[in-house]
Amino acid sequence: ELKVEQNPLFLSMQEGKNYTIYCNYSTTSDRLYWYRQDPGKSLESLFVLLSNGAVKQEGRLMASLDTKARLSTLHITAAVHDLSATYFCAVASFQGAQKLVFGQGTRLTINP
Amino acid sequence: GAVVSQHPSWVICKSGTSVKIECRSLDFQATTMFWYRQFPKQSLMLMATSNEGSKATYEQGVEKDKFLINHASLTLSTLTVTSAHPEDSSFYICSASRSDNEKLFFGSGTQLSVL
């Protein structure tokens, strides 16, 4: 059974600081997603990572994937308040590339 | 870009009534759609896979007679919560993609409150 674990689950940080969210998964998968969710809203797609060593960057967010270690990271550079949200990683199960198992989510609060 | 529309955005109903939630792919055909449930401050849990023209596949622990899924066309899947009870109150989200190799798009979600 595929399990996905994120840490930390809660993160409070100051603007301008850097931090990393980690996503570990238990079985082999060929794709990993990162999503953002604002309170009461649906999911916004951030990144899809398809291969070992993949790195993608958008603004202050950068995601990477190490399939051998079954680990993905979401790095936040020089955080700003607008990045406050809950971030989920999700891993495609072997039963289908679109059938996702989600991590618990990391609730990120960025303080001025 | 591709858009997945979900309706309604929120619904309040009395215990024992049924509620239907629609998920539409607006500019692409989706042979497969997925339904998730999210309780407050928790993650998303897959409920079922909706397959166009065939029966839905339910995840373990999800009552198929309570959560009826119909995928009658390539652009529409519906989830009906039958005989809703307060414990069914949750945020329901659908997702779809054009093909297996493309990213998933999520609907806007439906907040269901059962009184």
Side-chain angles (χ1 to χ4, degrees):
Chain A
E1 180 188 355
L2 173 59
K3 293 186 178 180
V4 181
E5 293 190 352
Q6 285 180 239
N7 75 85
L9 301 184
F10 300 92
L11 179 55
S12 180
M13 53 193 291
Q14 287 185 316
E15 280 191 325
K17 300 292 186 181
N18 304 333
Y19 212 84
T20 301
I21 300 171
Y22 297 89
C23 175
N24 289 91
Y25 54 100
S26 61
T27 62
T28 302
S29 175
D30 63 355
R31 64 188 64 197
L32 185 143
Y33 300 83
W34 283 97
Y35 294 96
R36 167 182 172 147
Q37 185 179 39
D38 292 299
K41 304 292 185 182
S42 189
L43 301 180
E44 174 189 350
S45 178
L46 296 176
F47 302 107
V48 54
L49 302 169
L50 300 176
S51 60
N52 187 41
V55 177
K56 290 194 175 180
Q57 184 166 3
E58 181 75 31
R60 300 174 187 275
L61 301 178
M62 183 174 71
S64 66
L65 178 62
D66 181 343
T67 58
K68 294 180 181 178
R70 296 177 188 159
L71 170 68
S72 179
T73 60
L74 180 66
H75 187 73
I76 303 153
T77 302
V80 293
H81 179 69
D82 287 351
L83 291 179
S84 296
T86 298
Y87 292 84
F88 291 96
C89 65
V91 179
S93 74
F94 72 95
Q95 294 161 309
Q98 301 172 20
K99 190 170 181 179
L100 302 182
V101 177
F102 282 80
Q104 310 97 309
T106 297
R107 193 179 308 171
L108 174 64
T109 303
I110 299 170
N111 305 303
Chain B
V3 177
V4 174
S5 172
Q6 195 171 333
H7 179 80
S9 298
W10 57 270
V11 57
I12 301 172
C13 69
K14 292 182 179 179
S15 186
T17 61
S18 295
V19 174
K20 180 185 284 188
I21 303 170
E22 293 186 348
C23 180
R24 294 181 185 271
S25 54
L26 297 185
D27 58 357
F28 65 98
Q29 294 183 331
T31 55
T32 305
M33 293 184 177
F34 298 87
W35 288 97
Y36 292 84
R37 179 168 54 183
Q38 184 181 30
F39 292 109
K41 294 182 171 59
Q42 294 189 22
S43 188
L44 281 76
M45 298 298 293
L46 179 65
M47 298 176 66
T49 303
S50 173
N51 304 299
E52 188 270 334
S54 64
K55 292 183 179 180
T57 305
Y58 290 83
E59 295 300 302
Q60 192 172 10
V62 178
E63 300 175 60
K64 62 181 181 180
D65 295 330
K66 180 170 185 60
F67 298 99
L68 301 179
I69 291 174
N70 184 279
H71 195 152
S73 78
L74 286 170
T75 59
L76 174 64
S77 175
T78 61
L79 169 67
T80 301
V81 183
T82 62
S83 187
H85 289 95
E87 57 266 31
D88 298 323
S89 298
S90 183
F91 192 55
Y92 292 86
I93 309 175
C94 68
S95 69
S97 75
R98 285 190 189 89
S99 70
D100 212 39
N101 292 322
E102 296 200 29
K103 68 177 181 179
L104 278 170
F105 295 93
F106 285 82
S108 52
T110 298
Q111 181 64 54
L112 171 63
S113 297
V114 184
L115 305 178

